[in-house]
């Protein structure tokens, strides 16, 4: 027997002895560390965080959701590994005066602006939460249009309302909008709209259905910046399978479902349970 083979046999024996000792002492080999998904304290952020957490868990990847004031800042500081977001908001965060508006354009511009060490998985083309302009149905009938492209033609004399704290565009096309009047909640805002106290009420594509007498204008020409759901993650931390798990959400989620699930969380449902129930009905490996 050569010395090399003998030495190899001794080394293997040592490894087996160590492994046996570990088992006999009750020690277990530690599994991979949990992937931490950051969530802001809002229904939407918590839901999305749990969706991405559930997607990773679906493929056997240990995860935990960590509530933080700013998931993107926590991602940048490596306190979390994954952070949910919206493409337009993220682009505006890194490039405040960016002009991109269409879905793909906003996504690509956002990717180019991400900090070093941060990457983005696929965006969800069918699920977004972007500002939407609503008018009284009588106004839409008078304009003969139900798309936001009609706003610039009626720019003069427009009055605008918004729920306090909600983000909204300052302009639509070449129409610079007046300062918005703030309302305490959506019900008050829509009441004002129907009473003609304001001409335009800002809502969201992921908001519950508007009440009778209110028409939410479409945006077929992308006059309003896209806000598609997208996860950010730390480069060189997630394996390929883990990124593919995040990408799986992009092929399944849509705005109507997002709206419904946010509504459930708003009413007190556990976001982890809501996300888990949805994933059970939309397996990512089919």
């Amino acid at each position: 027997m050569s010395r090399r083979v003998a030495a190899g046999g001794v080394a293997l024996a040592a490894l087996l002895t160590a492994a046996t000792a570990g088992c006999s002492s009750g020690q277990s080999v530690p599994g991979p560390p949990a992937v931490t998904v950051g969530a802001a304290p809002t229904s939407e952020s918590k839901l999305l965080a749990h969706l991405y957490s559930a997607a990773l868990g679906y493929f056997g990847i240990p995860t935990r959701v960590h509530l933080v004031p700013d998931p993107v800042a926590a991602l940048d500081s490596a306190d979390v590994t994954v952070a949910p977001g919206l493409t337009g908001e993220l682009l505006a965060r890194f490039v405040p005066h960016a002009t991109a508006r269409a879905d793909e354009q906003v996504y690509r511009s956002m990717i180019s602006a991400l900090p070093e060490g941060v990457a983005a998985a696929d965006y969800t083309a069918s699920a977004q939460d972007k500002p939407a302009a609503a008018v009284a149905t009588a106004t839409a009938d008078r304009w003969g249009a139900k798309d936001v492209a009609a706003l610039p033609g009626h720019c003069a004399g427009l009055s605008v309302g918004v729920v306090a704290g909600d983000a909204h565009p300052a302009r639509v096309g070449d129409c610079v909008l007046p300062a918005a009047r703030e309302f305490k909640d959506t019900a008050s805002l829509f009441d004002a709209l129907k009473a003609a106290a304001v001409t335009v009420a800002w809502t969201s594509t992921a908001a519950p259905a508007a009440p009778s007498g209110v028409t939410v204008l479409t945006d077929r020409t992308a006059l309003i910046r896209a806000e598609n759901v997208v996860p950010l993650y730390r480069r060189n931390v997630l394996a390929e399978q883990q990124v593919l798990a995040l990408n799986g959400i992009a092929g399944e989620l849509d705005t109507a479902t997002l709206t419904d699930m946010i509504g459930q969380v708003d009413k007190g449902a556990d976001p982890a349970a809501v996300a888990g129930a949805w994933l059970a009905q939309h397996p990512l490996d089919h």
Side-chain angles (χ1 to χ4, degrees):
M1 180 182 295
S2 71
R3 290 185 178 181
R4 181 176 297 176
V5 173
V10 172
L12 178 60
L15 286 173
L16 290 173
T17 301
T20 304
C23 292
S24 63
S25 64
Q27 296 176 353
S28 59
V29 178
V35 173
T36 302
V37 184
T42 66
S43 294
E44 181 174 66
S45 185
K46 288 186 286 188
L47 171 70
L48 291 174
H50 280 285
L51 279 176
Y52 290 121
S53 176
L56 291 165
Y58 188 84
F59 293 99
I61 301 163
T63 63
R64 71 184 188 99
V65 172
H66 181 43
L67 284 178
V68 292
D70 185 345
V72 177
L75 184 71
D76 192 39
S77 62
D79 291 328
V80 303
T81 305
V82 177
L86 300 173
T87 54
E89 289 183 359
L90 291 166
L91 175 59
R93 178 181 184 131
F94 300 120
V95 187
H97 302 295
T99 59
R101 294 194 306 271
D103 293 7
E104 184 73 13
Q105 185 184 29
V106 170
Y107 176 67
R108 292 192 178 279
S109 298
M110 179 207 74
I111 287 177
S112 299
L114 291 176
E116 184 177 357
V118 175
D122 291 348
Y123 76 95
T124 307
S126 299
Q128 62 175 301
D129 182 9
K130 76 173 187 176
V135 298
T137 300
T139 300
D141 291 342
R142 187 169 65 254
W143 289 355
K146 295 183 179 181
D147 190 90
V148 74
L151 278 187
H154 300 275
C155 190
L158 285 181
S159 55
V160 179
V162 65
V163 173
D166 284 0
H168 60 284
R171 65 185 300 152
V172 174
D174 59 4
C175 176
V176 177
L177 299 170
R181 176 182 169 189
E182 294 189 338
F183 293 85
K184 64 179 181 179
D185 53 34
T186 303
S188 301
L189 173 61
F190 284 140
D191 285 345
L193 183 67
K194 290 192 287 186
V198 295
T199 316
V200 177
W202 284 111
T203 180
S204 161
T205 55
S212 174
V214 173
T215 297
V216 178
L217 303 177
T218 57
D219 182 20
R220 294 190 176 91
T221 55
L223 288 177
I224 300 170
R225 186 185 65 207
E227 297 288 359
N228 297 89
V229 171
V230 67
L232 302 184
Y233 63 92
R234 289 197 60 79
R235 289 185 184 275
N236 304 319
V237 175
L238 295 188
E240 181 181 4
Q241 182 193 34
Q242 295 170 323
V243 177
L244 290 174
L246 298 178
N247 289 344
I249 297 295
E252 297 292 335
L253 187 62
D254 59 45
T255 301
T257 304
L258 176 65
T259 301
D260 176 68
M261 291 194 289
I262 292 173
Q264 293 179 52
V265 177
D266 280 339
K267 294 176 182 177
D270 178 4
V274 174
W278 178 83
L279 192 63
Q281 297 176 355
H282 300 82
L284 302 180
D285 58 354
H286 64 277

PDB file of all heavy atoms in Angstrom, residues 52 55-56 59 61 121-122 233 238-251 284-285:
ATOM      1  N   TYR A  52     -43.131  36.546  -1.113  1.00  0.00           N
ATOM      2  CA  TYR A  52     -41.784  36.150  -1.515  1.00  0.00           C
ATOM      3  C   TYR A  52     -41.187  35.145  -0.529  1.00  0.00           C
ATOM      4  O   TYR A  52     -40.476  34.217  -0.933  1.00  0.00           O
ATOM      5  CB  TYR A  52     -40.896  37.379  -1.668  1.00  0.00           C
ATOM      6  CG  TYR A  52     -41.290  38.221  -2.864  1.00  0.00           C
ATOM      7  CD1 TYR A  52     -41.669  39.548  -2.722  1.00  0.00           C
ATOM      8  CD2 TYR A  52     -41.319  37.675  -4.143  1.00  0.00           C
ATOM      9  CE1 TYR A  52     -42.055  40.316  -3.822  1.00  0.00           C
ATOM     10  CE2 TYR A  52     -41.709  38.428  -5.242  1.00  0.00           C
ATOM     11  CZ  TYR A  52     -42.072  39.738  -5.077  1.00  0.00           C
ATOM     12  OH  TYR A  52     -42.460  40.488  -6.163  1.00  0.00           O
ATOM     13  N   ALA A  55     -42.747  31.869  -1.400  1.00  0.00           N
ATOM     14  CA  ALA A  55     -42.198  31.338  -2.646  1.00  0.00           C
ATOM     15  C   ALA A  55     -40.857  30.657  -2.399  1.00  0.00           C
ATOM     16  O   ALA A  55     -40.578  29.579  -2.924  1.00  0.00           O
ATOM     17  CB  ALA A  55     -42.046  32.461  -3.670  1.00  0.00           C
ATOM     18  N   LEU A  56     -40.017  31.281  -1.585  1.00  0.00           N
ATOM     19  CA  LEU A  56     -38.731  30.673  -1.237  1.00  0.00           C
ATOM     20  C   LEU A  56     -38.946  29.396  -0.423  1.00  0.00           C
ATOM     21  O   LEU A  56     -38.323  28.369  -0.667  1.00  0.00           O
ATOM     22  CB  LEU A  56     -37.883  31.669  -0.451  1.00  0.00           C
ATOM     23  CG  LEU A  56     -37.365  32.876  -1.246  1.00  0.00           C
ATOM     24  CD1 LEU A  56     -36.861  33.960  -0.289  1.00  0.00           C
ATOM     25  CD2 LEU A  56     -36.250  32.463  -2.200  1.00  0.00           C
ATOM     26  N   PHE A  59     -39.777  26.011  -2.108  1.00  0.00           N
ATOM     27  CA  PHE A  59     -38.682  25.186  -2.613  1.00  0.00           C
ATOM     28  C   PHE A  59     -37.723  24.752  -1.496  1.00  0.00           C
ATOM     29  O   PHE A  59     -36.573  24.418  -1.740  1.00  0.00           O
ATOM     30  CB  PHE A  59     -37.916  25.947  -3.695  1.00  0.00           C
ATOM     31  CG  PHE A  59     -38.733  26.174  -4.936  1.00  0.00           C
ATOM     32  CD1 PHE A  59     -39.363  27.390  -5.149  1.00  0.00           C
ATOM     33  CD2 PHE A  59     -38.915  25.161  -5.867  1.00  0.00           C
ATOM     34  CE1 PHE A  59     -40.135  27.602  -6.279  1.00  0.00           C
ATOM     35  CE2 PHE A  59     -39.685  25.361  -7.001  1.00  0.00           C
ATOM     36  CZ  PHE A  59     -40.301  26.585  -7.215  1.00  0.00           C
ATOM     37  N   ILE A  61     -36.503  26.498   1.067  1.00  0.00           N
ATOM     38  CA  ILE A  61     -35.515  27.471   1.519  1.00  0.00           C
ATOM     39  C   ILE A  61     -36.010  28.114   2.811  1.00  0.00           C
ATOM     40  O   ILE A  61     -37.097  28.694   2.835  1.00  0.00           O
ATOM     41  CB  ILE A  61     -35.287  28.548   0.436  1.00  0.00           C
ATOM     42  CG1 ILE A  61     -34.811  27.895  -0.862  1.00  0.00           C
ATOM     43  CG2 ILE A  61     -34.302  29.604   0.910  1.00  0.00           C
ATOM     44  CD1 ILE A  61     -34.953  28.779  -2.077  1.00  0.00           C
ATOM     45  N   ALA A 121     -35.195  40.897  -9.184  1.00  0.00           N
ATOM     46  CA  ALA A 121     -35.761  39.743  -9.877  1.00  0.00           C
ATOM     47  C   ALA A 121     -36.777  40.260 -10.898  1.00  0.00           C
ATOM     48  O   ALA A 121     -36.911  41.465 -11.113  1.00  0.00           O
ATOM     49  CB  ALA A 121     -36.398  38.794  -8.869  1.00  0.00           C
ATOM     50  N   ASP A 122     -37.514  39.358 -11.515  1.00  0.00           N
ATOM     51  CA  ASP A 122     -38.487  39.762 -12.529  1.00  0.00           C
ATOM     52  C   ASP A 122     -39.589  40.625 -11.914  1.00  0.00           C
ATOM     53  O   ASP A 122     -40.033  40.368 -10.788  1.00  0.00           O
ATOM     54  CB  ASP A 122     -39.132  38.538 -13.169  1.00  0.00           C
ATOM     55  CG  ASP A 122     -38.166  37.754 -14.041  1.00  0.00           C
ATOM     56  OD1 ASP A 122     -37.074  38.280 -14.321  1.00  0.00           O
ATOM     57  OD2 ASP A 122     -38.504  36.622 -14.427  1.00  0.00           O
ATOM     58  N   TYR A 233     -33.007  42.115  -4.242  1.00  0.00           N
ATOM     59  CA  TYR A 233     -32.256  41.192  -3.395  1.00  0.00           C
ATOM     60  C   TYR A 233     -30.772  41.532  -3.457  1.00  0.00           C
ATOM     61  O   TYR A 233     -30.322  42.233  -4.364  1.00  0.00           O
ATOM     62  CB  TYR A 233     -32.482  39.736  -3.825  1.00  0.00           C
ATOM     63  CG  TYR A 233     -31.995  39.412  -5.222  1.00  0.00           C
ATOM     64  CD1 TYR A 233     -30.708  38.928  -5.439  1.00  0.00           C
ATOM     65  CD2 TYR A 233     -32.824  39.587  -6.326  1.00  0.00           C
ATOM     66  CE1 TYR A 233     -30.254  38.627  -6.713  1.00  0.00           C
ATOM     67  CE2 TYR A 233     -32.385  39.291  -7.611  1.00  0.00           C
ATOM     68  CZ  TYR A 233     -31.103  38.809  -7.794  1.00  0.00           C
ATOM     69  OH  TYR A 233     -30.654  38.518  -9.069  1.00  0.00           O
ATOM     70  N   LEU A 238     -28.120  35.226  -2.837  1.00  0.00           N
ATOM     71  CA  LEU A 238     -29.098  34.231  -3.252  1.00  0.00           C
ATOM     72  C   LEU A 238     -28.523  33.340  -4.345  1.00  0.00           C
ATOM     73  O   LEU A 238     -27.843  33.814  -5.264  1.00  0.00           O
ATOM     74  CB  LEU A 238     -30.364  34.901  -3.777  1.00  0.00           C
ATOM     75  CG  LEU A 238     -31.189  35.719  -2.787  1.00  0.00           C
ATOM     76  CD1 LEU A 238     -32.507  36.141  -3.431  1.00  0.00           C
ATOM     77  CD2 LEU A 238     -31.453  34.955  -1.506  1.00  0.00           C
ATOM     78  N   ALA A 239     -28.825  32.047  -4.259  1.00  0.00           N
ATOM     79  CA  ALA A 239     -28.458  31.103  -5.311  1.00  0.00           C
ATOM     80  C   ALA A 239     -29.452  31.223  -6.473  1.00  0.00           C
ATOM     81  O   ALA A 239     -30.516  31.835  -6.337  1.00  0.00           O
ATOM     82  CB  ALA A 239     -28.464  29.684  -4.754  1.00  0.00           C
ATOM     83  N   GLU A 240     -29.098  30.622  -7.593  1.00  0.00           N
ATOM     84  CA  GLU A 240     -29.954  30.721  -8.783  1.00  0.00           C
ATOM     85  C   GLU A 240     -31.363  30.216  -8.508  1.00  0.00           C
ATOM     86  O   GLU A 240     -32.347  30.819  -8.922  1.00  0.00           O
ATOM     87  CB  GLU A 240     -29.330  29.934  -9.938  1.00  0.00           C
ATOM     88  CG  GLU A 240     -30.147  29.996 -11.227  1.00  0.00           C
ATOM     89  CD  GLU A 240     -29.532  29.198 -12.358  1.00  0.00           C
ATOM     90  OE1 GLU A 240     -28.497  28.533 -12.130  1.00  0.00           O
ATOM     91  OE2 GLU A 240     -30.080  29.219 -13.466  1.00  0.00           O
ATOM     92  N   GLN A 241     -31.488  29.083  -7.786  1.00  0.00           N
ATOM     93  CA  GLN A 241     -32.808  28.535  -7.486  1.00  0.00           C
ATOM     94  C   GLN A 241     -33.632  29.510  -6.653  1.00  0.00           C
ATOM     95  O   GLN A 241     -34.848  29.623  -6.838  1.00  0.00           O
ATOM     96  CB  GLN A 241     -32.674  27.204  -6.738  1.00  0.00           C
ATOM     97  CG  GLN A 241     -34.037  26.549  -6.444  1.00  0.00           C
ATOM     98  CD  GLN A 241     -33.942  25.415  -5.450  1.00  0.00           C
ATOM     99  OE1 GLN A 241     -33.118  25.462  -4.539  1.00  0.00           O
ATOM    100  NE2 GLN A 241     -34.764  24.396  -5.618  1.00  0.00           N
ATOM    101  N   GLN A 242     -32.977  30.229  -5.771  1.00  0.00           N
ATOM    102  CA  GLN A 242     -33.693  31.176  -4.921  1.00  0.00           C
ATOM    103  C   GLN A 242     -34.220  32.360  -5.739  1.00  0.00           C
ATOM    104  O   GLN A 242     -35.333  32.832  -5.518  1.00  0.00           O
ATOM    105  CB  GLN A 242     -32.778  31.648  -3.797  1.00  0.00           C
ATOM    106  CG  GLN A 242     -32.399  30.525  -2.842  1.00  0.00           C
ATOM    107  CD  GLN A 242     -31.307  30.918  -1.869  1.00  0.00           C
ATOM    108  OE1 GLN A 242     -30.392  31.653  -2.229  1.00  0.00           O
ATOM    109  NE2 GLN A 242     -31.380  30.423  -0.640  1.00  0.00           N
ATOM    110  N   VAL A 243     -33.425  32.834  -6.687  1.00  0.00           N
ATOM    111  CA  VAL A 243     -33.890  33.913  -7.564  1.00  0.00           C
ATOM    112  C   VAL A 243     -35.036  33.422  -8.431  1.00  0.00           C
ATOM    113  O   VAL A 243     -36.019  34.143  -8.653  1.00  0.00           O
ATOM    114  CB  VAL A 243     -32.728  34.441  -8.432  1.00  0.00           C
ATOM    115  CG1 VAL A 243     -33.239  35.508  -9.399  1.00  0.00           C
ATOM    116  CG2 VAL A 243     -31.625  35.017  -7.553  1.00  0.00           C
ATOM    117  N   LEU A 244     -34.950  32.189  -8.918  1.00  0.00           N
ATOM    118  CA  LEU A 244     -36.030  31.627  -9.732  1.00  0.00           C
ATOM    119  C   LEU A 244     -37.319  31.517  -8.919  1.00  0.00           C
ATOM    120  O   LEU A 244     -38.420  31.696  -9.457  1.00  0.00           O
ATOM    121  CB  LEU A 244     -35.627  30.259 -10.273  1.00  0.00           C
ATOM    122  CG  LEU A 244     -34.534  30.265 -11.347  1.00  0.00           C
ATOM    123  CD1 LEU A 244     -34.121  28.838 -11.700  1.00  0.00           C
ATOM    124  CD2 LEU A 244     -35.003  31.013 -12.592  1.00  0.00           C
ATOM    125  N   ALA A 245     -37.176  31.237  -7.627  1.00  0.00           N
ATOM    126  CA  ALA A 245     -38.364  31.180  -6.759  1.00  0.00           C
ATOM    127  C   ALA A 245     -39.038  32.548  -6.676  1.00  0.00           C
ATOM    128  O   ALA A 245     -40.270  32.657  -6.748  1.00  0.00           O
ATOM    129  CB  ALA A 245     -37.964  30.700  -5.362  1.00  0.00           C
ATOM    130  N   LEU A 246     -38.232  33.605  -6.551  1.00  0.00           N
ATOM    131  CA  LEU A 246     -38.793  34.959  -6.544  1.00  0.00           C
ATOM    132  C   LEU A 246     -39.454  35.275  -7.885  1.00  0.00           C
ATOM    133  O   LEU A 246     -40.531  35.878  -7.944  1.00  0.00           O
ATOM    134  CB  LEU A 246     -37.690  35.984  -6.254  1.00  0.00           C
ATOM    135  CG  LEU A 246     -36.981  35.889  -4.900  1.00  0.00           C
ATOM    136  CD1 LEU A 246     -35.886  36.944  -4.819  1.00  0.00           C
ATOM    137  CD2 LEU A 246     -37.967  36.053  -3.759  1.00  0.00           C
ATOM    138  N   ASN A 247     -38.805  34.859  -8.971  1.00  0.00           N
ATOM    139  CA  ASN A 247     -39.356  35.105 -10.301  1.00  0.00           C
ATOM    140  C   ASN A 247     -40.698  34.418 -10.506  1.00  0.00           C
ATOM    141  O   ASN A 247     -41.526  34.868 -11.307  1.00  0.00           O
ATOM    142  CB  ASN A 247     -38.380  34.621 -11.383  1.00  0.00           C
ATOM    143  CG  ASN A 247     -37.152  35.493 -11.500  1.00  0.00           C
ATOM    144  OD1 ASN A 247     -37.123  36.614 -10.997  1.00  0.00           O
ATOM    145  ND2 ASN A 247     -36.118  34.979 -12.144  1.00  0.00           N
ATOM    146  N   GLY A 248     -40.909  33.311  -9.770  1.00  0.00           N
ATOM    147  CA  GLY A 248     -42.158  32.569  -9.934  1.00  0.00           C
ATOM    148  C   GLY A 248     -43.387  33.398  -9.615  1.00  0.00           C
ATOM    149  O   GLY A 248     -44.447  33.209 -10.217  1.00  0.00           O
ATOM    150  N   ILE A 249     -43.269  34.337  -8.675  1.00  0.00           N
ATOM    151  CA  ILE A 249     -44.407  35.193  -8.335  1.00  0.00           C
ATOM    152  C   ILE A 249     -44.814  36.042  -9.528  1.00  0.00           C
ATOM    153  O   ILE A 249     -46.006  36.287  -9.769  1.00  0.00           O
ATOM    154  CB  ILE A 249     -44.056  36.097  -7.131  1.00  0.00           C
ATOM    155  CG1 ILE A 249     -43.764  35.261  -5.892  1.00  0.00           C
ATOM    156  CG2 ILE A 249     -45.192  37.095  -6.846  1.00  0.00           C
ATOM    157  CD1 ILE A 249     -44.932  34.477  -5.371  1.00  0.00           C
ATOM    158  N   ALA A 250     -43.830  36.494 -10.311  1.00  0.00           N
ATOM    159  CA  ALA A 250     -44.110  37.386 -11.435  1.00  0.00           C
ATOM    160  C   ALA A 250     -45.019  36.742 -12.470  1.00  0.00           C
ATOM    161  O   ALA A 250     -45.780  37.434 -13.150  1.00  0.00           O
ATOM    162  CB  ALA A 250     -42.795  37.819 -12.103  1.00  0.00           C
ATOM    163  N   GLY A 251     -44.969  35.432 -12.586  1.00  0.00           N
ATOM    164  CA  GLY A 251     -45.792  34.765 -13.578  1.00  0.00           C
ATOM    165  C   GLY A 251     -47.190  34.414 -13.111  1.00  0.00           C
ATOM    166  O   GLY A 251     -47.998  33.912 -13.903  1.00  0.00           O
ATOM    167  N   LEU A 284     -45.891  27.044  -7.894  1.00  0.00           N
ATOM    168  CA  LEU A 284     -44.898  27.680  -8.760  1.00  0.00           C
ATOM    169  C   LEU A 284     -44.138  26.697  -9.631  1.00  0.00           C
ATOM    170  O   LEU A 284     -43.360  27.116 -10.483  1.00  0.00           O
ATOM    171  CB  LEU A 284     -43.896  28.464  -7.896  1.00  0.00           C
ATOM    172  CG  LEU A 284     -44.506  29.553  -7.006  1.00  0.00           C
ATOM    173  CD1 LEU A 284     -43.414  30.252  -6.219  1.00  0.00           C
ATOM    174  CD2 LEU A 284     -45.300  30.556  -7.834  1.00  0.00           C
ATOM    175  N   ASP A 285     -44.368  25.404  -9.442  1.00  0.00           N
ATOM    176  CA  ASP A 285     -43.612  24.415 -10.211  1.00  0.00           C
ATOM    177  C   ASP A 285     -44.462  23.690 -11.242  1.00  0.00           C
ATOM    178  O   ASP A 285     -44.100  22.637 -11.739  1.00  0.00           O
ATOM    179  CB  ASP A 285     -42.977  23.384  -9.280  1.00  0.00           C
ATOM    180  CG  ASP A 285     -44.010  22.661  -8.423  1.00  0.00           C
ATOM    181  OD1 ASP A 285     -45.202  23.046  -8.464  1.00  0.00           O
ATOM    182  OD2 ASP A 285     -43.634  21.719  -7.706  1.00  0.00           O
TER     183      ASP A 285
END
